[in-house]
Amino acid sequence: MSLNVRNYSNKDNLLFPASIGDYLSEGHLAWAIDDVVESLDLIFLYKKVSSVGNPSYHPKMMLKILFYGYATSNFSSRRIAKGTETDIAFIFLAGMQKPDFRTISDFRKNNAEELPKLFVQIVRLCKKLGLVGLSHIAIDSTVIKASADRDRTYDRERFILEEQVIQDKIKELLDVAQKVDDEEDRIFGPSLRGDELPESVRSRKKRLEKLQEAKKDLEQRSLKEINLTDSDATFQREKGKVFRPGYRAEVVVDGKEQIIVACDVVNKLNDRQELLPSIERAVDNLPEIATQDSSMVVTADSDYSAMESLKKLEEQKPYVDAYIPDSKYQSKQDGNITDEDSPFHKKCFSYNPDKNVYICPNQKELTFRYRRISRSKAYYSLYRCRYCQDCPYFGTCTKSPKGRAIWVYDNQEQIYKMRRKLDSAEGKRIYAKRKIIIEPVFGNIKHNLRFREFLLRGLRKVKSEFTLIAIVHNIRKIAKFLKKLLFSKLPRSELTPVLTT
Ligand code: SF4
């Protein structure tokens, strides 16, 4: 019986050797990765290649498979290695070579310091392709889970308790061992040297030492808790108030095509001190930010608002036009009532510069007491009232027997200035764009790339891992751009010159 089907045979020899790339569509992501890596200057990677022993795998090839792995949610070196045997895109990028998973893992580990250099080259490539506009950048962070067991998190109390349990157990085991030794000595004579510890005691001693080291680390870093699986990770609060060991991935995103122009990972608990470093990183990667004719708009949410940062931004960065609300302003925008709505808020106290006193709503004076610096390095002066006990508003304005105190920060005016800016029609229009720029980036990283947890441990390693993620995010944008060129009938052979010229 003859079947009405196409001829099929998968065992024939090909008459001419085929290029594996021909099996991939022209707009395939693997082609874009191939083109981008070919356009990079990898001299610093070549210098690291050993001139003795077995020839190493080509750094270009290793980069291509690593980038393709991360761009397709294959983060583990085992999955990438498997891909080079079974997945046509990996096979194409690897040139049919099959590096072992340890080789891939070592390449990633040994080149952790080089990835930021590649990231910068790719950001500049995006700029050259017209994907970066530099008229509006948005700064934000997202919490990414550390590769750490939550149950292995210790605070001071747990350290003390567990140390005590282990010490009791060691004592108990040593007592038993001593009894056995005494019994053996009685039967066989004293043959043992007496300094051997039973295995059960040795392993507990090791554990005790580890605990004591971690406790020292906790104390030196003035932490409340420390995780023993990844001691660099800190307890980050997520929506729903779940605390878990993690890191904050900081990104600076350009508004034109959502290219990440700067990134970093920190193990701090908030972003308050991250505004200026984020802008500095963006300027380092794209120095034209500081030299272009018009100032660049920078938006960030209230987590980044700090009086000192806003002041420095105004003084040192005339090329930046910032729109950053403070937390109380944001809370009011969200429809909440804040302490600023109270008729006894410090805003309602007037200042008399001649006497250096504040006048309260009951027309009493608050006199200057002292000047200090806060934990966030902001200078402030404290003023206190001495007439509160007899005031009809005592209990509402203050309950303190010492009298009402107000803290006046040196750069408080920066906050009010920023509020006026955000309240303008232009300010509202600009700030509304922030979410549109930043949210798709985190959506891509966490939803499309499914990168919600670090694979590596330790701050240095997670920094390099997130740089990889930022690189592949940008390469996917380049791939989209190249695909559009292909649709506009530009032959594939002319795409590489677009990237390299
Ligand atoms: S409680 Fe003190 S500061 Fe407040 S209104 Fe009365 S006198 Fe003034």
Side-chain angles (χ1 to χ4, degrees):
M1 188 181 73
S2 77
L3 288 174
N4 182 23
V5 294
R6 296 175 190 206
N7 277 340
Y8 169 70
S9 168
N10 61 355
K11 310 283 183 315
D12 290 348
N13 292 326
L14 294 170
L15 203 51
F16 300 106
S19 161
I20 314 159
D22 293 344
Y23 293 108
L24 300 170
S25 67
E26 287 209 316
H28 196 281
L29 178 64
W31 274 113
I33 288 176
D34 192 63
D35 288 335
V36 169
V37 175
E38 290 294 336
S39 76
L40 299 176
D41 177 5
L42 304 178
I43 192 81
F44 52 92
L45 289 183
Y46 299 158
K47 279 184 185 164
K48 291 173 83 174
V49 175
S50 168
S51 55
V52 291
N54 277 340
S56 308
Y57 283 108
H58 204 294
K60 254 187 210 177
M61 183 276 281
M62 298 299 285
L63 275 183
K64 287 178 192 177
I65 59 170
L66 198 59
F67 287 174
Y68 188 72
Y70 270 74
T72 51
S73 311
N74 291 298
F75 307 122
S76 82
S77 49
R78 280 186 169 79
R79 284 174 72 174
I80 295 172
K82 195 172 175 207
T84 60
E85 294 170 5
T86 57
D87 183 311
I88 195 75
F90 273 116
I91 294 170
F92 162 62
L93 292 171
M96 293 205 287
Q97 294 178 353
K98 297 179 180 63
D100 178 54
F101 78 89
R102 276 190 202 88
T103 311
I104 297 169
S105 169
D106 288 348
F107 180 82
R108 180 173 53 191
K109 196 169 64 194
N110 297 338
N111 292 295
E113 311 296 336
E114 317 300 343
L115 286 171
K117 294 179 199 161
L118 297 171
F119 172 74
V120 174
Q121 285 193 47
I122 291 167
V123 168
R124 290 181 184 167
L125 178 64
C126 292
K127 173 81 179 71
K128 202 166 76 177
L129 296 175
L131 302 176
V132 175
L134 293 186
S135 59
H136 184 161
I137 59 167
I139 300 172
D140 207 350
S141 72
T142 186
V143 171
I144 296 182
K145 196 173 174 282
S147 170
D149 183 352
R150 206 176 152 188
D151 292 341
R152 300 204 68 214
T153 299
Y154 284 65
D155 58 11
R156 198 177 298 264
E157 256 175 48
R158 188 173 171 194
F159 273 124
I160 293 168
L161 276 175
E162 195 145 324
E163 273 176 24
Q164 193 56 53
V165 169
I166 295 175
Q167 269 163 349
D168 289 350
K169 190 70 192 169
I170 289 174
K171 189 173 176 304
E172 185 190 313
L173 288 165
L174 285 173
D175 286 349
V176 172
Q178 188 60 50
K179 274 184 195 159
V180 173
D181 281 354
D182 291 346
E183 184 61 15
E184 283 176 351
D185 284 354
R186 195 181 62 75
I187 299 168
F188 306 110
S191 57
L192 292 173
R193 283 181 295 145
D195 56 353
E196 299 94 339
L197 287 174
E199 177 54 35
S200 53
V201 176
R202 251 184 297 156
S203 64
R204 280 180 174 86
K205 282 217 159 180
K206 263 190 200 161
R207 170 133 184 84
L208 190 63
E209 277 166 21
K210 274 193 180 171
L211 278 178
Q212 282 163 346
E213 260 173 46
K215 192 171 131 202
K216 209 168 138 193
D217 198 9
L218 175 109
E219 280 159 5
Q220 277 171 355
R221 291 163 61 195
S222 312
L223 297 173
K224 279 188 187 162
E225 293 169 311
I226 194 165
N227 186 278
L228 299 198
T229 328
D230 184 348
S231 61
D232 283 347
T234 39
F235 259 54
Q236 301 285 347
R237 190 166 65 174
E238 279 242 286
K239 281 173 196 155
K241 298 198 174 171
V242 179
F243 288 85
R244 60 186 196 184
Y247 294 92
R248 301 184 88 79
E250 301 282 338
V251 293
V252 182
V253 178
D254 182 81
K256 192 173 181 190
E257 294 289 342
Q258 282 96 35
I259 296 291
I260 301 177
V261 295
C263 67
D264 195 18
V265 177
V266 294
N267 55 358
K268 297 175 188 164
L269 297 177
N270 59 55
D271 301 317
R272 205 155 299 135
Q273 301 302 321
E274 294 308 309
L275 179 65
L276 297 179
S278 295
I279 295 174
E280 272 158 25
R281 275 193 294 274
V283 177
D284 284 348
N285 296 349
L286 292 166
E288 45 272 70
I289 291 175
T291 53
Q292 58 185 4
D293 295 338
S294 53
S295 58
M296 184 180 64
V297 167
V298 173
T299 51
D301 65 22
S302 55
D303 286 353
Y304 290 84
S305 176
M307 285 172 270
E308 302 310 296
S309 306
L310 295 181
K311 179 80 179 158
K312 277 189 189 153
L313 209 57
E314 199 178 78
E315 287 168 358
Q316 299 169 5
K317 313 271 188 294
Y319 48 84
V320 167
D321 183 17
Y323 291 81
I324 303 159
D326 62 283
S327 56
K328 281 188 185 158
Y329 176 88
Q330 189 57 56
S331 186
K332 275 187 113 169
Q333 295 297 308
D334 296 342
N336 300 319
I337 293 172
T338 71
D339 60 347
E340 290 193 4
D341 297 309
S342 159
F344 297 102
H345 185 263
K346 66 181 173 189
K347 275 201 314 189
C348 309
F349 290 53
S350 57
Y351 182 58
N352 180 337
D354 297 334
K355 293 172 80 178
N356 188 22
V357 293
Y358 275 82
I359 310 296
C360 77
N362 196 27
Q363 303 310 312
K364 302 289 183 207
E365 286 183 355
L366 281 83
T367 48
F368 172 78
R369 290 301 173 88
Y370 56 78
R371 195 169 151 70
R372 295 265 162 87
I373 184 164
S374 71
R375 269 198 291 180
S376 59
K377 311 271 183 283
Y379 284 96
Y380 66 87
S381 305
L382 186 128
Y383 293 79
R384 198 182 283 282
C385 180
R386 288 182 291 134
Y387 312 101
C388 300
Q389 297 281 359
D390 303 323
C391 174
Y393 303 119
F394 185 75
T396 314
C397 175
T398 182
K399 286 178 183 157
S400 167
K402 287 188 198 167
R404 173 70 191 268
I406 59 169
W407 289 261
V408 181
Y409 288 90
D410 285 14
N411 294 319
Q412 203 153 283
E413 180 52 26
Q414 292 300 322
I415 296 287
Y416 298 135
K417 217 166 145 187
M418 183 56 77
R419 287 182 184 184
R420 289 194 289 276
K421 204 168 157 187
L422 287 160
D423 271 337
S424 68
E426 179 69 350
K428 284 191 174 113
R429 187 187 65 78
I430 288 174
Y431 192 70
K433 282 188 185 169
R434 190 194 72 85
K435 269 192 176 177
I436 305 166
I437 296 172
I438 212 84
E439 300 283 322
V441 174
F442 291 142
N444 182 43
I445 291 173
K446 289 194 161 175
H447 183 73
N448 298 342
L449 296 177
R450 297 200 291 278
F451 187 75
R452 297 175 198 123
E453 182 174 344
F454 285 109
L455 202 73
L456 307 178
R457 289 174 184 156
L459 187 60
R460 192 184 72 85
K461 286 184 189 167
V462 298
K463 274 178 190 261
S464 80
E465 198 177 10
F466 190 74
T467 305
L468 255 176
I469 285 293
I471 285 174
V472 299
H473 168 88
N474 288 348
I475 291 182
R476 282 171 74 115
K477 294 283 177 185
I478 295 174
K480 210 169 138 193
F481 167 79
L482 294 179
K483 215 170 178 178
K484 269 191 205 158
L485 287 186
L486 283 169
F487 278 133
S488 64
K489 303 286 181 238
L490 187 77
R492 140 119 253 115
S493 57
E494 286 182 28
L495 281 185
T496 309
V498 169
L499 296 173
T500 49
T501 52

